[in-house]
Amino acid sequence: MARVLIVGAGPTGSLCAALLRRELPQRPLRIVLWDKARGAGGRMTTSRSPHNPRCTADLGAQYITLRPAYALKHQSFYEDLLAHGVLKPLTAPVEGMVMEEGSHNFVTPQGISSIVKHYLTESGADVFYEHHVTQIYLRGGKWEVCKKTGSPEQFDIVVLTIPVPQILQLQGDIVNIIKESQKQQLESVSYSSRYALGLFYEAGTWIDVPWAAQYITNNPCIRFISIDNKKRNIESSEFGPSVVVHTSVPFGTAHLEWDKEKVQPIILDHLENIMPGLPKPTSIKCQKWRYSQVTKAIPSCPGQMTLHIKPLLVCGGDGFTHSNFDGDEVPIKCAAYPKSGATRNKQPVPVKGRKKRVLERIQVDIQMYISHVTRFVIS
Ligand SMILES: Cc1cc2nc3c(=O)[nH]c(=O)nc-3n(C[C@H](O)[C@H](O)[C@H](O)COP(=O)(O)OP(=O)(O)OC[C@H]3O[C@@H](n4cnc5c(N)ncnc54)[C@H](O)[C@@H]3O)c2cc1C
């Protein structure tokens, strides 16, 4: 039985696994997924309060936007996610959000990681967490993949869906397998950085604001605040609310090498200025997003990069998707929230300069490389 290893349990890896299974339902194929984290989601992660697991916060991606250009093409994906209750229309008030005409925003009642979990379940893949891939070797026509702890394992095909700088950190034969021209392309990919705070509250706590989320434009540190349960329409007397705070990219970049413990009080001070009287949370989670959103993708990217043909070693993810920005500096000018220019900035960004939303892009790209991977599984 062919063994396929997908590295990364974010949206790309999970959808890749599900689509591979859909393409080859009858084929004896073992799909294995490894992620270095302790759970599924990647940058679409949902954190739980240590005091009440029903009190959750989306620390990375906030919502999914379906743009008119993709409405027809991706109808089946959205229908599937809506039918399973994974997605629901975003109806809560978001202040400062700029919507492209004809686009629709969706939230995830169970948290943004439920998208990833939905695809992992569909795929039937064997998923292993705390499996940090460190080296990849070519041995006897198979890939031998080493992780930080435990024995190496062999696979017929390896699909890397990890951020591009983390692909470049991998050691072993892969270092020489990546051609110089590919290496240059990979090295040209850049990401923004930011911090996210999740504040978890006791049941019965009331946060008295008229909005569910807000884009902040006049603070040097904070760019976005969400009353996360309200954003997802899951207010309940059985668990407390949660608040998510995203810093701006300039703040994230300036404090990138700082300890989280030192950055957290700075963000909280700014939060106190913006929302004086905010109740004291029962716990706080601080997340550093070193690779937050792609500011420069692989030039004229085809959605994936084949590093080796037989056996197949392929990589994909948001670093490989087509960038729609008017030049690479646009996201830096949009500064605070480059990834989703259409909805992240109070000042509208020209349509041409807006970046496609991740799920839409990933679906396009993943389908391209799924057919690519399937060809190799079949042959
Ligand atoms: C703060 C923030 C806000 C965002 N807001 C939005 C939004 O509102 N809407 C939207 O659509 N998108 C948003 N995004 C972007 C979106 O989350 C990403 O584009 C998307 O998650 C990329 O998916 P991926 O699967 O390619 O990568 P990831 O989600 O990063 O998944 C990669 C996985 O690989 C794992 N990994 C890395 N290295 C290794 C290794 N060596 N071994 C094993 N595993 C490894 C990681 O643990 C991770 O789980 C946001 C992102 C951030 C950080």
Side-chain angles (χ1 to χ4, degrees):
M1 187 189 295
R3 292 184 88 216
V4 178
L5 174 68
I6 298 171
V7 184
T12 308
S14 62
L15 190 53
C16 176
L19 293 179
L20 198 51
R21 179 59 67 202
R22 275 187 216 171
E23 290 281 323
L24 302 166
Q26 313 297 345
R27 197 113 194 146
L29 171 70
R30 183 164 180 224
I31 305 173
V32 180
L33 227 129
W34 286 1
D35 198 295
K36 66 177 183 171
R38 277 186 292 167
R43 279 168 280 159
M44 288 197 170
T45 184
T46 305
S47 263
R48 291 176 192 287
S49 160
H51 304 286
N52 184 348
R54 293 184 65 196
C55 177
T56 56
D58 292 333
L59 292 184
Q62 292 297 304
Y63 47 81
I64 302 295
T65 303
L66 173 60
R67 297 169 72 239
Y70 289 89
L72 207 59
K73 207 169 188 175
H74 295 149
Q75 197 180 354
S76 63
F77 288 96
Y78 283 88
E79 277 175 4
D80 170 53
L81 292 172
L82 286 162
H84 284 87
V86 177
L87 290 187
K88 292 257 194 264
L90 167 66
T91 52
V94 180
E95 285 188 3
M97 176 194 269
V98 179
M99 289 277 289
E100 186 187 345
E101 211 183 309
S103 64
H104 299 278
N105 286 324
F106 297 96
V107 285
T108 46
Q110 303 307 313
I112 198 84
S113 67
S114 59
I115 298 178
V116 171
K117 289 174 184 162
H118 172 79
Y119 289 126
L120 289 178
T121 306
E122 180 187 333
S123 73
D126 297 319
V127 186
F128 299 90
Y129 297 111
E130 298 181 275
H131 277 44
H132 188 151
V133 173
T134 50
Q135 289 133 292
I136 300 182
Y137 294 96
L138 190 51
R139 302 237 199 269
K142 289 186 189 285
W143 295 112
E144 186 173 278
V145 186
C146 306
K147 44 193 181 320
K148 259 190 184 164
T149 52
S151 317
E153 288 184 38
Q154 291 208 333
F155 296 91
D156 300 287
I157 289 175
V158 173
V159 181
L160 301 171
T161 71
I162 65 183
V164 171
Q166 290 170 330
I167 295 174
L168 289 167
Q169 282 163 19
L170 297 174
Q171 297 297 308
D173 291 341
I174 186 170
V175 174
N176 297 320
I177 281 167
I178 300 177
K179 294 188 199 82
E180 195 48 46
S181 57
Q182 292 178 321
K183 195 170 164 230
Q184 279 172 14
Q185 286 191 307
L186 293 170
E187 282 171 346
S188 73
V189 177
S190 58
Y191 294 74
S192 60
S193 305
R194 68 175 82 236
Y195 283 85
L197 282 194
L199 282 67
F200 303 97
Y201 293 88
E202 268 175 356
T205 311
W206 178 244
I207 298 173
D208 193 14
V209 286
W211 41 266
Q214 192 184 34
Y215 290 93
I216 312 289
T217 50
N218 55 0
N219 185 279
C221 168
I222 295 178
R223 175 58 182 140
F224 176 79
I225 304 174
S226 146
I227 315 301
D228 212 53
N229 57 309
K230 195 169 166 185
K231 176 198 80 187
R232 290 188 267 134
N233 268 333
I234 51 157
E235 286 169 287
S236 160
S237 58
E238 288 168 30
F239 53 88
S242 58
V243 171
V244 168
V245 179
H246 282 177
T247 72
S248 66
V249 169
F251 178 90
T253 309
H255 297 82
L256 190 58
E257 303 310 331
W258 287 41
D259 288 341
K260 283 194 292 187
E261 293 66 31
K262 286 196 173 147
V263 177
Q264 180 173 312
I266 302 175
I267 305 172
L268 288 173
D269 273 355
H270 284 279
L271 184 62
E272 171 67 21
N273 286 337
I274 298 169
M275 297 180 74
L278 188 67
K280 199 174 152 36
T282 48
S283 61
I284 300 177
K285 173 149 190 199
C286 183
Q287 172 81 46
K288 184 191 287 191
W289 292 115
R290 183 175 291 276
Y291 308 115
S292 175
Q293 287 131 305
V294 174
T295 50
K296 189 177 175 216
I298 298 247
S300 63
C301 49
Q304 56 85 23
M305 185 183 274
T306 304
L307 301 178
H308 195 271
I309 293 181
K310 259 199 165 175
L312 182 67
L313 176 61
V314 63
C315 45
D318 59 355
F320 297 85
T321 50
H322 191 77
S323 171
N324 248 8
F325 284 114
D326 277 340
D328 297 328
E329 77 286 2
V330 171
I332 294 140
K333 284 187 185 149
C334 298
Y337 232 117
K339 158 67 177 53
S340 312
T343 52
R344 294 289 187 182
N345 292 281
K346 266 194 169 166
Q347 303 301 320
V349 179
V351 175
K352 259 177 87 189
R354 292 174 188 160
K355 202 160 187 196
K356 291 173 189 168
R357 287 296 192 146
V358 68
L359 198 68
E360 295 168 348
R361 292 186 332 234
I362 285 170
Q363 284 163 3
V364 177
D365 308 324
I366 214 102
Q367 259 165 343
M368 282 168 66
Y369 83 98
I370 283 304
S371 51
H372 189 59
V373 174
T374 1
R375 264 207 322 274
F376 282 92
V377 176
I378 291 164
S379 65

